[in-house]
Amino acid sequence: MAEQIPLRAETGRPTGSRHARRIRAAGGVPGIVYGKDRAPLPVVVDHHDLMVIINHHGSNALISLETGSDSILTLPKAVERHPYRNQIRHVDFIGVNLKVKVQTQVPLVVVGDPAGVKEGGILSQAAHHLTIEALPMDIPAHIEIDVSALEIGDNVRVEDVVADKAFEVLDDPETVIASVVTPVVEAEPEPEEGEELEGEEGEAAEGADAEDEASEESADE
């Protein structure tokens, strides 16, 4: 069961790119809280504190935004990261109700050493998330997929995932999550027809030149 993680949030921030840059320079992250029963609420949270929560609890961390006058239970549904810096630039929080199910994506973690890999196969992971529906407190940080028994040619599909009773998997049951495939061996390219003829002609020419040289030497003698 997920835990509610408190995070201090300041409300009433000015919006706009210029103000957002100032917030980031001061060590904050601009964000907006969305919800069915409230108007969008601009907030500022501490960058370090938010980064710690996301890194330790994942993208489905159940965050309680503490504004001083209110506590808003949320999920960080859209986290914008800097393209090359270790920085969160913006975050959209979605207000949730503990008694109402929500849909979200949960990371897939492949565990185990496939038997087929030990025989020379290659493990290929095709899906990295599953879409589930669950109550906020029942959202797992990740879903483990055991691939230990996979032989070469075997795969694990969504239908093979044993879902916890606390949540429902919404993806197509036939979707392949991971498989063990035979490694592709690239054959050496065969010489083109023109190259073969050219080589044969070259060898024939070299042979003819050798015969001519021998004939000339005999004539000189």
Side-chain angles (χ1 to χ4, degrees):
M1 180 175 289
E3 62 176 307
Q4 299 181 37
I5 307 165
L7 178 64
R8 189 172 64 85
E10 299 177 7
T11 60
R13 71 169 177 87
T15 58
S17 58
R18 183 178 62 180
H19 295 292
R21 285 194 295 270
R22 291 177 178 174
I23 291 170
R24 296 186 193 107
V29 179
I32 298 181
V33 181
Y34 295 96
K36 293 182 179 179
D37 302 326
R38 66 170 63 245
L41 176 66
V43 296
V44 176
V45 297
D46 182 79
H47 181 272
H48 175 267
D49 293 345
L50 178 61
M51 185 71 81
V52 169
I53 291 173
I54 298 297
N55 288 343
H56 284 77
H57 300 275
S59 58
N60 285 308
L62 197 56
I63 298 176
S64 177
L65 295 178
E66 307 297 330
T67 66
S69 60
D70 194 10
S71 294
I72 310 170
L73 193 59
T74 67
L75 288 172
K77 296 303 295 181
V79 178
E80 179 190 344
R81 294 180 178 269
H82 193 280
Y84 54 86
R85 296 177 185 167
N86 188 24
Q87 179 189 42
I88 297 176
R89 294 177 54 81
H90 189 276
V91 57
D92 287 347
F93 295 100
I94 303 296
V96 296
N97 186 323
L98 291 179
K99 298 181 180 180
V100 178
K101 291 184 177 182
V102 296
Q103 293 184 12
T104 188
Q105 286 194 323
V106 177
L108 290 171
V109 177
V110 171
V111 297
D113 297 321
V117 170
K118 299 175 183 177
E119 298 171 359
I122 297 175
L123 177 64
S124 174
Q125 185 174 351
H128 296 270
H129 295 82
L130 281 185
T131 302
I132 71 166
E133 183 175 68
L135 292 173
M137 293 293 288
D138 293 331
I139 298 173
H142 62 268
I143 299 173
E144 290 189 354
I145 306 297
D146 188 356
V147 296
S148 302
L150 293 186
E151 302 282 353
I152 294 177
D154 291 346
N155 58 53
V156 175
R157 300 175 184 269
V158 169
E159 63 185 355
D160 300 320
V161 176
V162 180
D164 191 288
K165 294 181 180 180
F167 63 83
E168 177 186 359
V169 179
L170 302 180
D171 296 272
D172 183 348
E174 294 297 319
T175 300
V176 173
I177 296 173
S179 58
V180 176
V181 298
T182 303
V184 177
V185 178
E186 295 185 2
E188 294 185 4
E190 296 182 1
E192 297 182 2
E193 185 176 348
E195 293 178 350
E196 291 181 352
L197 292 175
E198 195 174 303
E200 292 173 359
E201 291 174 356
E203 291 175 2
E206 289 177 3
D209 290 341
E211 291 179 1
D212 290 343
E213 289 178 2
S215 300
E216 290 176 0
E217 288 177 0
S218 298
D220 291 341
E221 290 176 356

